Amino acid sequence: MKNKNEIFLLKLGGSLLTDKNKPFSLREDIIKNAIKQLIAANEKVILIHGGGSFGHPLAKKYNILKGVNTSIQNQILGLTKTHQAMNKLNSYLVKQILEQGYPSLSIQPSSTFMKDSEKIITISTDIIEATLDLNIMPILYGDIILDKQGSFSILSGDQIIFELCKNLERYRISKVIFTMETDGIYVKDEQSSENSILATECYSDDLESLNLANLGQKIDVTGGIMGKLNFIKQICDLSIPVQLINGLKDEYIYKSLKNQKIDCTNILIKK
Ligand code: IP8
């Protein structure tokens, strides 16, 4: 029997939820299907989603990641617009989930986390744990983050996951699932330079030395696959297993939440 306080963290990648080539465009069928699987699995989950074509283009336009820059026209307005764009994407997801009769609550990351120079300060995770206590699914998302030193930056969904892994007290995270548009991490095939192979199992200690094939940065201001691997390594250092799965494949989100076997990348923790 499962420990009552065990939960999954599930990240729905922004490139899965939105059309990267068109600002502010939703992939409605994909979103609805992902939500259907999540609800069918009926596990205790904290849902985190990325920015896709909502947050990233604005964050890029106003160079939000690097903080205050007075030479960028209307940067502060751009900061607030970036948040608003993420809010809009988040509202769409929450609406779909509620319409399917599943209790979920959006928790605004820019009011839950702050920065003090480079360091992230978690204001409180009590609200997230109180939400879980009531059997409500908390939903967080990549957002802007304000800095005590008078600046700001971008807080990615991956970073939120790492902060939750570090700071949740009453809930044990049994697995972090990253849902993407590919089956996981691809490495270059040493026999043929044109081919790449899915790394189905990979020890966290080996992440840094992988000969990656899928390096595309696309529209992400928050570091693409390299940034993700960096957080994955740190999550695994907390002894939490990580799985990277394809959110486009039939029932993969459901199967992952039910710990069923799927073709994906499992990051293993070295004993
Ligand atoms: O897609 C980025 O979140 P991510 C959020 O998880 C913004 O990296 C505001 C660009």
Side-chain angles (χ1 to χ4, degrees):
M1 175 132 167
K2 237 189 204 177
N3 181 331
K4 128 172 180 290
N5 285 338
E6 286 206 352
I7 55 164
F8 293 100
L9 298 196
L10 173 69
K11 166 129 190 236
L12 295 177
S15 57
L16 186 73
L17 305 177
T18 69
D19 181 349
K20 293 178 296 285
N21 303 315
K22 218 162 118 209
F24 312 112
S25 53
L26 296 161
R27 294 169 91 187
E28 295 191 32
D29 290 347
I30 292 171
I31 296 176
K32 285 179 189 164
N33 188 277
I35 289 170
K36 212 175 91 214
Q37 295 176 55
L38 174 61
I39 294 175
N42 197 24
E43 294 289 338
K44 239 179 170 38
V45 170
I46 301 179
L47 180 64
I48 299 101
H49 68 81
S53 69
F54 280 74
H56 286 279
L58 283 167
K60 193 170 187 176
K61 178 173 174 194
Y62 294 101
N63 206 2
I64 306 300
L65 189 71
K66 297 245 167 78
V68 172
N69 181 341
T70 49
S71 69
I72 298 171
Q73 222 184 356
N74 295 326
Q75 194 197 25
I76 299 294
L77 184 64
L79 172 74
T80 51
K81 279 186 174 173
T82 305
H83 168 74
Q84 181 57 19
M86 287 308 301
N87 220 356
K88 207 169 156 194
L89 173 58
N90 178 254
S91 295
Y92 179 81
L93 262 89
V94 177
K95 184 168 174 278
Q96 298 306 317
I97 297 169
L98 296 182
E99 275 176 8
Q100 293 193 39
Y102 202 75
S104 56
L105 187 73
S106 173
I107 294 170
Q108 189 173 304
S110 45
S111 303
T112 313
F113 303 95
M114 255 198 120
K115 268 194 154 181
D116 191 358
S117 293
E118 281 316 293
K119 198 174 153 13
I120 295 197
I121 314 158
T122 299
I123 300 170
S124 171
T125 53
D126 285 355
I127 189 150
I128 297 166
E129 296 192 306
T131 305
L132 289 165
D133 291 344
L134 289 169
N135 288 325
I136 299 171
M137 179 173 69
I139 310 183
L140 292 90
Y141 48 96
D143 197 355
I144 59 162
I145 181 166
L146 302 184
D147 193 315
K148 282 191 164 181
Q149 306 300 324
S151 189
F152 47 78
S153 186
I154 293 291
L155 179 67
S156 71
D158 295 359
Q159 177 115 45
I160 291 173
I161 289 174
F162 177 53
E163 293 302 317
L164 293 177
C165 288
K166 273 195 305 191
N167 294 306
L168 287 182
E169 283 171 5
R170 290 188 292 106
Y171 285 87
R172 201 183 79 80
I173 299 159
S174 53
K175 180 165 72 173
V176 174
I177 306 160
F178 288 98
T179 310
M180 328 187 292
E181 277 190 291
T182 60
D183 287 354
I185 300 172
Y186 283 85
V187 289
K188 286 184 188 145
D189 182 353
E190 276 160 24
Q191 315 302 324
S192 145
S193 56
E194 275 148 44
N195 291 340
S196 54
I197 310 168
L198 178 68
T200 52
E201 286 194 339
C202 170
Y203 279 103
S204 58
D205 285 354
D206 298 334
L207 281 173
E208 279 155 31
S209 53
L210 285 179
N211 197 2
L212 291 177
N214 47 348
L215 275 169
Q217 290 280 325
K218 315 223 168 79
I219 59 169
D220 278 24
V221 296
T222 44
I225 189 76
M226 291 309 285
K228 186 176 286 306
L229 291 186
N230 182 27
F231 282 119
I232 289 175
K233 170 91 180 68
Q234 296 184 69
I235 292 166
C236 289
D237 287 347
L238 299 169
S239 298
I240 299 171
V242 172
Q243 196 171 45
L244 293 100
I245 70 164
N246 192 333
L248 298 173
K249 285 210 168 156
D250 197 27
E251 302 294 318
Y252 264 31
I253 294 174
Y254 174 86
K255 286 178 185 164
S256 172
L257 288 169
K258 290 294 183 193
N259 288 325
Q260 294 176 12
K261 200 178 171 322
I262 47 176
D263 293 325
C264 64
T265 298
N266 286 297
I267 314 289
L268 311 172
I269 299 150
K270 216 163 226 170
K271 295 266 152 53

